[in-house]
Amino acid sequence: SMSTKILLPDEEDLTGEECFRRATEAHKKVEAYKEAVEIRKSKEQFDAMSKQFERQQKAEHEMLTSPTKKMKEVKVNKHVNKNAGIALVRTMSKQNREESGTKSRNSTAKNEGEELENNSRMWLEKAAFDHMHPRALTLIGNNALEEANHTIGNSKLDVDEIIVSPGHSKIENDKLWEILSQPP
């Protein structure tokens, strides 16, 4: 089959507004991706607990039909919530290992998330630095503040107090994206 190449306008022809629009679209994809990852993780956690409850119900049924049911029944009921909790913790630990790259099963998914974030950042920086787009510059400044806050972390220095003038505070990044992605 013959593939057709989509021709994009030369990058010089793009306006700051168009670059910012593309950054906003890319950011929405990043947010949708993150939400899908969270939904998948929640489903895995729920499934782990559900499987444990099913195993427990099966075990209870088998014990109720056995001749020495009274003694065993007390033992089984004691462990229902504990086992489900253990299954949940194991699943969450596995997910954390996968996220930190200990296991490579999610490496392509992790790369996809990073690629989406890089694309969003690239368009945002193009709008801000190549076209001096005010909303893009605001977002980049806010990102820098947020990153500096994380970098400083536990030290006694609070970047917001130093850089942001009194009476003004840094807006949460998601809220800022929402505000700034609206047309002026």
Side-chain angles (χ1 to χ4, degrees):
S1 71
M2 196 172 109
S3 66
T4 56
K5 187 177 179 183
I6 298 170
L7 297 174
L8 297 172
D10 291 336
E11 288 193 7
E12 284 76 42
D13 295 343
L14 295 177
T15 64
E17 194 58 43
E18 175 61 16
C19 291
F20 186 74
R21 186 191 65 72
R22 290 181 183 196
T24 302
E25 278 179 18
H27 180 73
K28 286 177 185 170
K29 287 179 185 174
V30 169
E31 292 305 308
Y33 175 80
K34 286 179 180 177
E35 188 177 336
V37 167
E38 284 306 309
I39 289 170
R40 177 192 56 80
K41 286 168 65 177
S42 294
K43 185 180 178 335
E44 285 175 1
Q45 293 167 13
F46 178 79
D47 289 348
M49 286 180 56
S50 296
K51 281 181 189 172
Q52 191 56 46
F53 280 124
E54 285 171 20
R55 281 190 209 114
Q56 203 63 44
Q57 284 178 333
K58 186 178 175 186
E60 280 180 29
H61 182 268
E62 288 171 8
M63 295 221 184
L64 289 174
T65 56
S66 75
T68 56
K69 69 177 184 180
K70 286 291 176 205
M71 291 289 283
K72 291 179 180 176
E73 192 177 336
V74 175
K75 261 187 183 176
V76 170
N77 286 332
K78 235 187 218 182
H79 297 291
V80 174
N81 291 332
K82 182 181 176 188
N83 290 344
I86 290 170
L88 176 62
V89 170
R90 280 187 180 153
T91 302
M92 291 170 78
S93 296
K94 184 180 124 201
Q95 289 171 340
N96 286 337
R97 281 194 308 275
E98 287 172 357
E99 263 181 34
S100 65
T102 310
K103 285 193 169 185
S104 60
R105 183 177 81 93
N106 273 358
S107 64
T108 54
K110 192 174 185 181
N111 290 344
E112 184 185 343
E114 286 173 8
E115 193 177 307
L116 287 170
E117 284 183 3
N118 289 341
N119 188 41
S120 174
R121 188 178 312 108
M122 186 258 319
W123 283 113
L124 188 64
E125 287 174 358
K126 186 162 184 54
F129 302 132
D130 293 355
H131 300 282
M132 299 312 251
H133 190 279
R135 291 180 290 161
L137 287 164
T138 304
L139 273 168
I140 285 183
N142 195 63
N143 287 344
L145 278 174
E146 202 169 271
E147 204 170 291
N149 247 343
H150 289 299
T151 305
I152 291 173
N154 296 332
S155 74
K156 294 178 183 172
L157 218 57
D158 185 1
V159 174
D160 290 336
E161 292 173 16
I162 300 164
I163 300 175
V164 180
S165 59
H168 296 83
S169 64
K170 179 172 67 74
I171 302 170
E172 280 304 309
N173 220 20
D174 290 338
K175 188 71 180 161
L176 191 63
W177 265 104
E178 191 180 308
I179 293 167
L180 295 177
S181 63
Q182 303 302 317

